[in-house]
């Protein structure tokens, strides 16, 4: 008979007590999300600085137990990894990869090309003048070769290009598009492939459930495939709120991308309980608003009713992902525990949000317990 997670937690607790009295808890059976969903997809989390450097020991323990895929929340972005031209800072990423290797986890690279968190130097010369086309291509190539080249063979897949689309599905007006033209897209995928031929290559974006944006991403995949450029997957950033997006639109996008012959990944999963100052919640970093008390109602804790609503909605999304586990290869949460989440600071700074799978005390939310109970050994 299957043991429930709650029973297991009790046993684990008793074993801990026993261990603290001189016994050994080494063989303690640990029920975990990654094991329960092992035949569906990998379960990832994003690691921040305190986790990469081994400081957040509680977050690290939760990660070892429940996750088998890891991605850097910030340290692999251009502004962090090459803050000045030709000056690289690899220490934090090296640590994260060491941790992943020691714990048998896959590593996802995030991200090679993104207009955001892009250091200023990338697109201007020493006099502050915008660089020309050839120079920007060289800089992109050098950056991709330096970063993807260093970690060659260690990265399961790269978010090669992040957020290149507007919500209406047109190409976003980034310096890359303006200076190089649309060809920058196949170019960066080709550079990534040359730098690490065996890594999977992904396009990653938010709000891909919006039908027009979905279409834009489908066209992007088709364009790469027509040119014979390798693309293995689309990462659908899962920045959810209690009313956006609909499950139907999410499902339609999962199916649409799979129909193009690429893997689908649910990336950056978090579910905010807070109101967005915008019409619909996306992940546009520049879309911020000022703090107000009314927009931050749950400082003292989450009312049971909202917590129940959150758990139900997160469970519904997981059920959708499980239904399409033949198409979805990975589901990655954007952080370990609620206190870690960027949603506490965006789009409004200084709020208290509850978006992740583990609470501020690193306890699993009901949805985690339910998924483990339901799918363990299934
Ligand atoms: C966020 C990080 O979580 C924050 O710590 C950082 O200050 C800003 O970026 N889309 C992405 C992620 O692809 O890299 C962003 O991460 C969230 C939106």
């Amino acid at each position: 008979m299957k043991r429930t997670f709650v029973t297991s937690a009790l046993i684990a607790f008793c074993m801990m007590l026993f261990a603290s009295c001189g016994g050994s808890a080494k063989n303690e059976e640990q029920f975990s999300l990654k094991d329960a969903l092992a035949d569906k997809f990998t379960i990832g989390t994003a690691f921040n600085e305190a986790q990469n450097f081994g400081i957040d020991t509680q977050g690290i323990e939760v990660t070892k137990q429940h996750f088998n895929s890891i991605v850097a929340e910030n340290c692999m972005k251009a502004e962090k990894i090459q803050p000045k031209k030709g000056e690289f800072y690899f220490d934090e990423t090296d640590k994260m990869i060491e941790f992943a290797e020691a714990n048998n986890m896959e590593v996802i690279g995030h991200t090679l090309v993104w207009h955001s968190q892009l250091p200023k130097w990338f697109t201007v010369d020493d006099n502050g003048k915008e660089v020309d086309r050839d120079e920007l291509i060289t800089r992109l190539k050098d950056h991709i070769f330096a970063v993807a080249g260093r970690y060659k063979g260690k990265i399961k897949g790269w978010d090669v290009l992040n957020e290149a689309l507007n919500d209406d599905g047109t190409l976003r007006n980034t310096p890359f598009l303006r200076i190089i033209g649309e060809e920058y897209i196949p170019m960066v995928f080709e550079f990534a492939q040359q730098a690490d031929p065996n890594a999977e290559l992904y396009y990653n974006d938010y709000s891909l459930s919006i039908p027009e944006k979905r279409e834009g991403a489908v066209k992007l995949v088709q364009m790469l495939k027509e040119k014979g450029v390798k693309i293995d997957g689309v990462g659908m950033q899962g920045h959810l709120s209690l009313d956006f997006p609909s499950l139907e639109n999410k499902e339609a996008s999962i199916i649409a991308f799979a129909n193009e012959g690429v893997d689908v990944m649910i990336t950056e999963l978090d579910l905010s309980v807070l109101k967005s100052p915008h019409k619909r919640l996306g992940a546009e970093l520049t879309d911020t608003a000022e703090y107000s008390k009314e927009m931050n109602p749950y400082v003292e804790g989450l009312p049971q009713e909202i917590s129940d609503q959150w758990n139900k909605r997160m469970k519904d999304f997981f059920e959708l992902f499980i239904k399409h586990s033949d198409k979805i290869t990975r589901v990655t949460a954007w952080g370990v525990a609620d206190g870690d989440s960027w949603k506490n600071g965006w789009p409004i700074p200084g709020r208290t949000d509850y978006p992740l799978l583990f609470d501020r005390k690193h306890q699993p939310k009901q949805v985690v317990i339910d998924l483990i109970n339901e799918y363990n050994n299934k």
Side-chain angles (χ1 to χ4, degrees), residues 12-292:
F13 179 69
C14 294
M15 289 180 87
M16 260 168 58
L17 272 184
F18 175 64
S20 64
C21 298
S24 164
K26 271 196 187 126
N27 296 322
E28 154 187 330
E29 190 182 4
Q30 288 190 319
F31 279 39
S32 79
L33 195 56
K34 68 177 177 194
D35 294 339
L37 300 177
D39 61 343
K40 313 274 188 300
F41 31 67
T42 56
I43 295 284
T45 192
F47 250 27
N48 62 26
E49 201 175 3
Q51 289 148 355
N52 287 328
F53 283 114
I55 296 161
D56 174 16
T57 49
Q58 279 184 298
I60 289 167
E61 282 317 306
V62 168
T63 301
K64 285 187 190 168
Q65 183 174 348
H66 291 282
F67 298 96
N68 50 16
S69 177
I70 201 163
V71 60
E73 185 175 3
N74 284 301
C75 68
M76 296 178 91
K77 295 170 179 173
E79 77 171 4
K80 299 279 182 194
I81 211 159
Q82 193 181 184
K84 292 188 181 146
K85 188 167 186 296
E87 280 182 31
F88 292 89
Y89 174 71
F90 290 124
D91 295 13
E92 192 180 334
T93 305
D94 289 353
K95 286 270 175 234
M96 187 185 80
I97 292 178
E98 259 172 46
F99 171 82
E101 283 175 350
N103 292 286
N104 214 8
M105 299 171 78
E106 65 178 31
V107 183
I108 303 301
H110 176 79
T111 170
L112 291 171
V113 182
W114 190 23
H115 64 279
S116 193
Q117 294 186 274
L118 182 71
K120 279 223 168 62
W121 69 261
F122 214 109
T123 55
V124 296
D125 64 18
D126 292 343
N127 303 316
K129 218 183 117 230
E130 198 164 81
V131 292
D132 65 17
R133 189 174 190 273
D134 285 351
E135 180 60 22
L136 188 55
I137 293 173
T138 304
R139 289 180 184 197
L140 278 168
K141 185 174 181 183
D142 289 350
H143 181 76
I144 293 170
F145 271 67
V147 178
R150 178 182 177 90
Y151 298 114
K152 185 175 163 180
K154 293 176 185 271
I155 303 288
K156 165 94 193 305
W158 272 104
D159 288 342
V160 176
L161 181 58
N162 200 31
E163 302 178 358
L165 294 167
N166 295 311
D167 281 2
D168 67 1
T170 57
L171 288 181
R172 187 194 276 266
N173 186 16
T174 65
F176 310 121
L177 182 72
R178 238 180 330 102
I179 301 173
I180 303 175
E182 296 188 24
E183 309 89 82
Y184 92 87
I185 298 176
M187 258 178 213
V188 296
F189 276 86
E190 280 178 336
F191 293 154
Q193 205 216 332
Q194 290 158 11
D196 187 356
N198 294 324
E200 293 182 354
L201 307 181
Y202 314 133
Y203 176 68
N204 190 56
D205 210 332
Y206 64 83
S207 297
L208 287 177
S209 305
I210 298 173
E212 299 81 40
K213 199 164 188 177
R214 172 197 308 146
E215 268 317 296
V218 163
K219 277 196 200 137
L220 193 149
V221 172
Q222 287 172 345
M223 179 269 284
L224 290 172
K225 292 212 161 204
E226 274 160 26
K227 288 184 190 298
V229 176
K230 174 176 151 88
I231 172 156
D232 299 289
V234 171
M236 297 179 67
Q237 293 182 21
H239 299 298
L240 317 171
S241 67
L242 289 174
D243 53 18
F244 177 81
S246 68
L247 284 148
E248 291 73 22
N249 278 341
K250 190 93 176 172
E251 180 166 34
S253 295
I254 293 167
I255 294 169
F257 300 139
N259 282 344
E260 296 306 316
V262 290
D263 290 337
V264 179
M265 272 140 269
I266 307 300
T267 65
E268 306 185 22
L269 182 65
D270 48 29
L271 169 48
S272 176
V273 295
L274 298 176
K275 281 211 183 85
S276 169
H278 313 296
K279 208 174 89 209
R280 58 188 172 202
L281 186 75
E284 178 58 54
L285 292 189
T286 54
D287 261 358
T288 54
E290 258 177 45
Y291 181 85
S292 70

